[in-house]
Amino acid sequence: MKRFISILSFAIMCSIAVSAKTKTVKIRLIETTDVHGSYVPYDFINRRPKNGSLARVYSYVSDVRAELGENVILLENGDLLQGQPIAYYYNYIATEEENLASSIVNFMGYDVQNFGNHDVETGHKVYDKWVSELKAPVLGANIIDRKTGKPYLKPYEVFVRDGVKVVVLGMLTPAIPCWLDEKIWSGLEFEDMEASARKWVEYIQKNENPDVLVGLFHAGREGGIVTENIKENQTEDIARNVPGFDIIFYGHDHIKYGGQVTNSDGRQVWILDPTNNALNVADAEITLTVNDRGKKGVKVLNKEITGNIVNIENQPVSEAFEKQFAARVKDVQDYVNKKVGSFTESIYTRDCFFGSCPFTDLIQNLQLQITGADISFTAPLAFNASIKAGDLHVSDMFNLYKFENKLCTMHLTGEEIRRHLEMSYDLWVNTMTSADDHIMLLNDGAKNDQQRLGFKNLTFNFDSAAGIDYEVDVTKPDGQKVKILQMSDGRPFELDKMYVVAVNSYRANGGGELLTKGAGLTKEQLTERKISESELDLRYYLMKEIEKEGVVTPKANNNWRFVPAEWAEPALQRDRQLIFGK
């Protein structure tokens, strides 16, 4: 009997000891992505307050940190350096100062920073300085230094929270060469994401033995550019095909999404994208039951993950954030408020989708004026922007031209010009089979897509042309819609003649595939055909031309139209009201 009691007592003591070693650990992972210069709750382009911003994100994160302390891991997923004048100002104007993007990431206490394609677009001088100023590790497992054959940045970072080891693996879409001239990313190359993920997951599992493996990918869920060697958006493929990840935070495609996929091992993997402009954050709570083994770390007995997309538009602005950066924000306000010239007429990007219009044609004509080219291509870079009649300020120039593209000239034959336009309008307009059809190529399911906004395809690939007169027959099949009538000065247009064409650097490098899939040029031919590229961004030269003129009266060239008119005109009115309302 005494022996039985002794054994029972020993068992109870053992049970108590085991129980004492078992604990619950909560970890929160919070991601921002595609912030695009939305640092503060002010729109420097339209000079008015704005929703979202990192100032609100910081307020939200501070509340979570007050609850969980160091068990909050804050992730920044790229495209931080472009989108608002406040980013432009510290990239290119106030270059002697610490980049404000660096200062904010440091102030907010981000634990890692990932690279985005628009961060690369700023060029080595800007992004290398930015990286050097950041206190958080900057990730990029598939960004390879050609000299060493190793990652240019850290591939991953390890965090230990209450004994739980969390590893974050960072990657960037490999489609950079499809958009950006090699000079911008000289010395680098970009590995396929799925291949890189397989390699690094194997390495991490072998060398780090993580309790939680997190992906931080600046690449969309699916789709995008697909060539023989490049897949733009592979997040869901990796979640399904590369076992090991518990959760993947992603971005780039500006489509809000939160859900789970089943990987090849039969496990559920969360994938989260909070979309752009710091309107939301992706927030995942990981609850782990662990056996604490002291110096040996913990043994995970159970792991539960809940993923959420949290809207922070109504979150209070952090007073500490505003106070910290007030002086630097004031410098940017002074910069954007400078007068450039004046417009006698208001212009609207919404008009660009329905025919020749003052907004697009102003850019076209300035490109022709600056370069002396025969023909110009451009597309609407904003969905529903406007510049009102009256004084024009530096801020308005970011509405006129959204991106930091360069201005290029290149040689294209008449046939290549036609085929370029054919692909553009095939992306843009429907093939009408009756007068009641839509004329625009729409997709109701894309209304939550912050890049397409109801159109089936990306509107920044809707190129029109100046310097030529042409018709777009919306009853014709794809590839046969565009009929070029003549040069706009009355000279004949010849399909076999070589013309000088003004384009932005994104297009000249193959962006949107209008010159590759459309015109049929190879990447090598694009390089050979380029005649010139501006030193500074296209917006700068547009601004200088407007300053010279002083007073500008934007007018439509009316050099192209949709036909047949009896179908096109009523359809344009219907679709305009459908897309933009009254």
Side-chain angles (χ1 to χ4, degrees), residues 144-164:
I144 305 303
D145 186 331
R146 284 177 173 166
K147 288 182 180 178
T148 64
K150 297 178 180 179
Y152 186 68
L153 304 161
K154 289 193 75 171
Y156 65 88
E157 184 68 6
V158 178
F159 303 95
V160 179
R161 300 291 187 264
D162 279 350
V164 174

Side-chain angles (χ1 to χ4, degrees), residues 373-415:
D374 301 305
I375 294 165
S376 169
F377 290 142
T378 198
L381 300 183
F383 178 67
N384 194 18
S386 64
I387 302 175
K388 298 300 174 64
D391 288 347
L392 187 74
H393 300 87
V394 169
S395 58
D396 296 308
M397 296 304 300
F398 289 81
N399 257 334
L400 184 65
Y401 205 88
K402 185 176 181 180
F403 298 110
E404 275 78 77
N405 303 139
K406 304 292 182 68
L407 176 58
C408 299
T409 57
M410 60 191 308
H411 279 127
L412 296 175
T413 67
E415 175 61 13

Side-chain angles (χ1 to χ4, degrees), residues 463-496:
D463 270 12
S464 60
I468 53 175
D469 296 345
Y470 62 99
E471 294 177 339
V472 181
D473 190 334
V474 294
T475 67
K476 299 292 186 184
D478 288 355
Q480 300 176 34
K481 287 183 169 68
V482 177
K483 182 180 181 182
I484 301 176
L485 306 173
Q486 62 178 14
M487 301 296 292
S488 292
D489 62 7
R491 289 179 295 150
F493 179 82
E494 302 171 44
L495 292 176
D496 58 354

Side-chain angles (χ1 to χ4, degrees), residues 528-544:
E528 294 166 2
R529 298 289 190 87
K530 188 183 289 186
I531 303 167
S532 67
E533 179 174 303
S534 64
E535 180 182 355
L536 301 176
D537 59 279
L538 174 52
R539 186 192 303 115
Y540 170 85
Y541 296 99
L542 296 175
M543 184 165 64
K544 290 302 177 186

Side-chain angles (χ1 to χ4, degrees), residues 301-485:
L301 305 176
N302 187 55
K303 178 166 48 179
E304 295 179 2
I305 302 175
T306 303
N308 293 290
I309 306 298
V310 181
N311 183 272
I312 55 95
E313 292 180 72
N314 296 320
Q315 185 74 19
V317 173
S318 165
E319 292 181 8
F321 187 107
E322 283 196 312
K323 183 178 179 180
Q324 179 73 18
F325 301 111
R328 300 185 73 182
V329 169
K330 175 65 165 54
D331 290 343
V332 180
Q333 288 175 325
D334 291 343
Y335 168 69
V336 299
N337 287 336
K338 290 178 182 176
K339 183 179 175 181
V340 174
S342 62
F343 280 179
T344 61
E345 307 285 343
S346 299
I347 58 175
Y348 307 89
T349 55
R350 64 170 65 185
D351 296 335
C352 303
F353 303 108
F354 307 105
S356 177
C357 81
F359 198 110
T360 310
D361 289 344
L362 173 65
I363 297 170
Q364 302 272 34
N365 295 338
L366 289 174
Q367 288 186 167
L368 291 173
Q369 187 174 309
I370 294 164
T371 63
D374 301 305
I375 294 165
S376 169
F377 290 142
T378 198
L381 300 183
F383 178 67
N384 194 18
S386 64
I387 302 175
K388 298 300 174 64
D391 288 347
L392 187 74
H393 300 87
V394 169
S395 58
D396 296 308
M397 296 304 300
F398 289 81
N399 257 334
L400 184 65
Y401 205 88
K402 185 176 181 180
F403 298 110
E404 275 78 77
N405 303 139
K406 304 292 182 68
L407 176 58
C408 299
T409 57
M410 60 191 308
H411 279 127
L412 296 175
T413 67
E415 175 61 13
E416 289 162 351
I417 290 165
R418 186 194 68 80
R419 291 175 62 185
H420 175 111
L421 288 173
E422 287 285 3
M423 181 172 175
S424 171
Y425 286 98
D426 290 344
L427 295 171
W428 182 347
V429 298
N430 187 32
T431 298
M432 297 180 69
T433 58
S434 81
D436 297 326
D437 284 346
H438 290 294
I439 191 168
M440 299 287 104
L441 196 55
L442 303 176
N443 178 6
D444 289 339
K447 286 184 178 177
N448 291 326
D449 181 335
Q450 294 301 303
Q451 293 190 90
R452 291 172 177 82
L453 294 162
F455 284 92
K456 183 177 180 180
N457 296 302
L458 298 166
T459 59
F460 55 71
N461 288 325
F462 295 178
D463 270 12
S464 60
I468 53 175
D469 296 345
Y470 62 99
E471 294 177 339
V472 181
D473 190 334
V474 294
T475 67
K476 299 292 186 184
D478 288 355
Q480 300 176 34
K481 287 183 169 68
V482 177
K483 182 180 181 182
I484 301 176
L485 306 173

Side-chain angles (χ1 to χ4, degrees), residues 81 119 232 250 255 284 382 385 427:
L81 298 180
D119 302 322
E232 179 182 354
Y250 71 103
I255 304 174
L427 295 171

